[in-house]
């Protein structure tokens, strides 16, 4: 039987919490529940995409620096 790792459970809980908090903020701003949920999901996807892009760029730059140094 497969068990859930603590970091996976904590990450899932944090993701769900941020998603619901974003939905609540959107609902307070006057959006319908479905619109607020959609916008919160879209916002989380955009943040994850930008973070991943920065990480990939940093890794690429470090690899280029290492090859220029002869390592």
């Amino acid at each position: 039987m497969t068990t859930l790792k603590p970091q996976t459970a904590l990450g899932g809980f944090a993701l769900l919490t941020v998603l619901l908090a974003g939905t609540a903020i959107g609902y307070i701003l006057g959006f319908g529940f479905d619109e607020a949920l959609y916008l919160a999901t879209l916002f989380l996807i955009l943040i994850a995409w930008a973070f991943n892009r920065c990480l990939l760029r940093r890794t690429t730059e470090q690899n280029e620096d290492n090859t220029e140094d002869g390592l």
Side-chain angles (χ1 to χ4, degrees), residues 8-62:
T8 304
L10 185 61
F13 177 73
L15 183 63
L16 184 62
T17 302
V18 169
L19 184 64
L20 290 175
T23 303
I25 291 170
Y27 190 72
I28 288 172
L29 291 175
F31 295 107
F33 179 77
D34 54 345
E35 294 170 333
L37 182 62
Y38 175 77
L39 290 174
T41 305
L42 183 64
F43 185 68
L44 283 174
I45 290 170
L46 288 175
I47 288 175
W49 175 80
F51 183 73
N52 187 33
R53 186 153 172 93
C54 288
L55 284 179
L56 289 174
R57 181 175 292 168
R58 182 177 298 153
T59 303
T60 304
E61 289 174 356
Q62 287 176 351

